[in-house]
Amino acid sequence: MLLASAAIAEDRTAWFREAKFGMFIHWGPYSLASVEASWPLMTPPSKRFGFISEPEYRALPERFNPVQYDPAAWVKLAKAAGQRYMVFTSKHHDGFCMFDSQFTRYKITNTPYKKDTAAMLVEAARNEGMKLGFYYSPPDMDHPGYRDTTKLSVTNWRGEPTRPEWSMYLDYMQLQVTELLTRYGDVAIIWWDGLGGKSYDPTRFDRLIRELQPKTLTNNRVGSPGDYITPEQFVPKTIPSKKPLAPGAVPAPEDFQLWETCMTINGTWGYNKNDTKYKSTTQLIRTLIEVASKGGNFLLNVGPTPEGTIQPEFAERLLAIGEWMKVNGEAIYGTTYGPLQNLGFARTTAKGKTIYLHVFDWPKGELEVPGLGARVVEARLLKGSVKLGFRQAGGKLSIQVPAAAPDAHASVIALKTR
Ligand code: H79
């Protein structure tokens, strides 16, 4: 019985394990003000989250009108980047709904734009066969059941689950999750973001989701384990495992803990014209590799502009990642953590009997790989599909490689083993 349900869970996550790379989208009226999504309501004014008063923040929907919003263009960009799924903010902590919920007036269809932005993205994704999930924030600064909204949210943003109104808030969550799972076709993921709150009755929501859409994945941010864990803005130092790992060891497949790192391209989730600290393409590709080498998925965020476009600095990087993925995607998609975890100069991923060596620091002379147990029968550079000569002796593999790195971001060698 237990085994059977584990097998079913395994099966539900199969596409996710294969996909490896997704697009996160943080979009809402906050993008108008170049401030962080929701946090300016919750924390004192700061450089990190932006300087905007609560009334000013609350008034942003009155002028949210992203007339250039072209969801098909977003989906095409994600595809060109090599991303295999998208996760869209249906409701952030501010409580504003980017979908046409019946149960609130604080929503996209009450802005000058009027249209259901989520429904439009759903249609565009469906047309391209792109998986789409919804980010949904349990914290909700707008709902009077979540907190006493007569007070400033800086004082009670963590919610007030001991008030009798709390149960009304859980009912509201139930109604909205039901809308998301009954009106928008197949929902790939419900991406909770509960900020560690412990009073959301996760069993109730686990059950609701299973009833409405048995295949929808969930993360671990509503209080239950969900299908995967979610390091934010970092990559775990060691492979996430359900059992303690010896230093340098890799988990047995059944002990592996499925996971996803979410990360911004600059430093903010929402659009911010003042945040120009963009990670380089090389950095982003290497992070994707680092994540894959530990068996994870990479959910890379864009914060679209208030006009509805994705800024060129993001698009450029995504397209460059896509170019790299065209050549090297076989070393990412459908792979899991590699057998060699502490090489320094390279990362490894694995698929069946093939080990992919993602080389960051290209050697002068031969490429020497220590610690490989398996017998190598072929070494092939993915760029140009070039077979490379090699020797294997005394636990060391030596590969004859070109003098210069074939790819400045990372060069991948597929090692077929026996
Ligand atoms: O939606 C994005 C963020 O808004 C949200 N999750 C991603 C996907 C997020 N949740 N938590 N965080 C971001 C981390 C925030 C931590 C802090 Fe604070 C906020 C540090 C300082 C302010 C809260 C208040 C925790 C410590 C003090």
Side-chain angles (χ1 to χ4, degrees):
M1 186 60 205
L2 233 174
L3 256 177
S5 67
I8 289 162
E10 176 102 6
D11 182 55
R12 271 191 309 115
T13 61
W15 73 264
F16 183 84
R17 292 166 193 264
E18 186 78 27
K20 303 306 285 188
F21 186 30
M23 175 183 278
F24 211 173
I25 302 168
H26 276 68
W27 198 38
Y30 47 78
S31 64
L32 277 165
S34 279
V35 297
E36 187 54 292
S38 304
W39 286 97
L41 291 175
M42 296 147 73
T43 52
S46 71
K47 193 156 178 274
R48 177 169 172 200
F49 297 132
F51 300 91
I52 184 170
S53 69
E54 185 154 347
E56 276 179 279
Y57 189 102
R58 293 268 161 229
L60 292 170
E62 291 165 25
R63 54 192 180 89
F64 190 60
N65 193 15
V67 291
Q68 293 180 53
Y69 177 41
D70 177 3
W74 293 10
V75 176
K76 287 211 172 75
L77 179 60
K79 265 199 157 170
Q83 293 168 320
R84 298 265 169 104
Y85 62 108
M86 299 169 84
V87 179
F88 179 69
T89 45
S90 68
K91 185 190 85 172
H92 206 257
H93 313 320
D94 54 14
F96 186 84
C97 293
M98 293 294 279
F99 67 107
D100 186 19
S101 173
Q102 278 186 61
F103 305 102
T104 182
R105 291 187 309 282
Y106 195 48
K107 61 177 174 180
I108 187 67
T109 46
N110 290 332
T111 65
Y113 191 61
K114 291 197 172 69
K115 292 187 271 186
D116 183 333
T117 36
M120 293 164 72
L121 186 56
V122 164
E123 196 197 334
R126 195 197 311 116
N127 289 341
E128 293 284 339
M130 176 68 79
K131 297 247 180 209
L132 177 66
F134 290 126
Y135 170 107
Y136 183 88
S137 170
D140 186 322
M141 299 311 122
D142 186 60
H143 196 283
Y146 177 76
R147 63 181 194 96
D148 178 351
T149 50
T150 64
K151 299 194 174 123
L152 286 177
S153 47
V154 278
T155 65
N156 58 10
W157 62 271
R158 287 177 188 276
E160 298 178 302
T162 58
R163 295 158 77 229
E165 290 90 333
W166 186 258
S167 70
M168 283 171 45
Y169 180 63
L170 295 183
D171 291 345
Y172 177 74
M173 276 177 61
Q174 168 144 358
L175 290 166
Q176 291 202 317
V177 170
T178 302
E179 288 180 312
L180 291 172
L181 292 174
T182 55
R183 293 180 9 200
Y184 297 93
D186 289 347
V187 175
I189 300 163
I190 293 290
W191 210 102
W192 302 109
D193 200 0
L195 304 180
K198 292 188 188 348
S199 306
Y200 296 113
D201 196 354
T203 313
R204 171 179 177 178
F205 290 102
D206 286 347
R207 198 176 296 142
L208 177 70
I209 294 169
R210 282 293 78 78
E211 272 167 25
L212 296 174
Q213 289 206 26
K215 287 185 175 162
T216 301
L217 305 185
T218 58
N219 69 359
N220 63 334
R221 293 194 182 193
V222 77
S224 51
D227 294 293
Y228 60 90
I229 63 171
T230 49
E232 178 167 325
Q233 300 284 36
F234 74 97
V235 181
K237 289 235 157 25
T238 56
I239 302 170
S241 170
K242 292 170 186 164
K243 285 193 194 141
L245 271 187
V250 302
E254 64 273 21
D255 297 335
F256 172 65
Q257 168 62 58
L258 196 59
W259 63 282
E260 171 190 74
T261 278
C262 56
M263 194 175 280
T264 51
I265 294 179
N266 51 9
T268 45
W269 298 97
Y271 174 72
N272 192 323
K273 63 178 177 352
N274 308 311
D275 181 356
T276 56
K277 247 182 125 183
Y278 307 111
K279 296 174 183 80
S280 68
T281 299
T282 301
Q283 230 176 320
L284 294 169
I285 288 171
R286 291 184 175 194
T287 304
L288 171 61
I289 293 167
E290 179 82 36
V291 165
S293 78
K294 295 189 171 98
N297 279 29
F298 190 39
L299 186 63
L300 184 59
N301 183 71
V302 296
T305 66
E307 292 79 32
T309 58
I310 293 173
Q311 64 187 89
E313 294 86 352
F314 290 170
E316 250 163 47
R317 285 164 175 77
L318 289 168
L319 293 173
I321 297 170
E323 288 306 309
W324 185 89
M325 287 290 265
K326 264 186 215 151
V327 175
N328 301 291
E330 79 160 89
I332 301 287
Y333 301 122
T335 64
T336 188
Y337 48 91
L340 303 175
Q341 287 293 314
N342 297 307
L343 283 179
F345 69 96
R347 303 293 177 272
T348 58
T349 57
K351 183 160 42 182
K353 286 192 181 311
T354 301
I355 296 165
Y356 296 97
L357 193 61
H358 304 247
V359 183
F360 290 180
D361 300 318
W362 200 253
K364 295 192 178 64
E366 291 197 331
L367 183 69
E368 302 207 325
V369 185
L372 198 62
R375 268 274 146 219
V376 173
V377 294
E378 183 189 286
R380 173 176 47 99
L381 189 63
L382 294 194
K383 190 155 204 168
S385 197
V386 183
K387 298 272 167 63
L388 302 173
F390 63 92
R391 286 171 289 124
Q392 201 173 10
K396 200 170 73 185
L397 174 71
S398 307
I399 311 172
Q400 283 116 50
V401 294
D407 192 309
H409 305 305
S411 311
V412 183
I413 298 168
L415 302 173
K416 208 190 278 180
T417 67
R418 203 163 38 215

